[in-house]
Amino acid sequence: MAVPRFVAIGIRGTLVNYFALATVGAILWLGTGKYHRLVNLRGLAFFGYVSYGLYLIHVVFLDLY
């Protein structure tokens, strides 16, 4: 029996969300242990700062477009 398309899309989306959650969890775990230097790099902080700023104003640009 074939799985309905909407169920397959929902399962695929759930797997992507679980992978993203595991990735964020691993990065947070690394940031608190002896490997904290890997996630506290100056370049990563810069990209985090820039991406957060873009996140805050992206809706304005989408509305203008």
Side-chain angles (χ1 to χ4, degrees), residues 5-65:
R5 182 182 171 127
F6 65 90
V7 173
I9 291 172
I11 291 172
R12 189 177 331 139
T14 302
L15 291 175
V16 169
N17 289 336
Y18 283 148
F19 178 74
L21 177 66
T23 302
V24 169
I27 290 170
L28 289 173
W29 180 67
L30 283 173
T32 60
K34 64 181 179 178
Y35 299 108
H36 66 87
R37 293 174 198 242
L38 294 175
V39 294
N40 292 331
L41 297 174
R42 192 175 254 181
L44 290 177
F46 170 75
F47 284 119
Y49 180 75
V50 170
S51 67
Y52 183 68
L54 291 175
Y55 164 74
L56 291 176
I57 62 171
H58 80 280
V59 175
V60 174
F61 289 113
L62 289 175
D63 286 341
L64 290 174
Y65 178 70

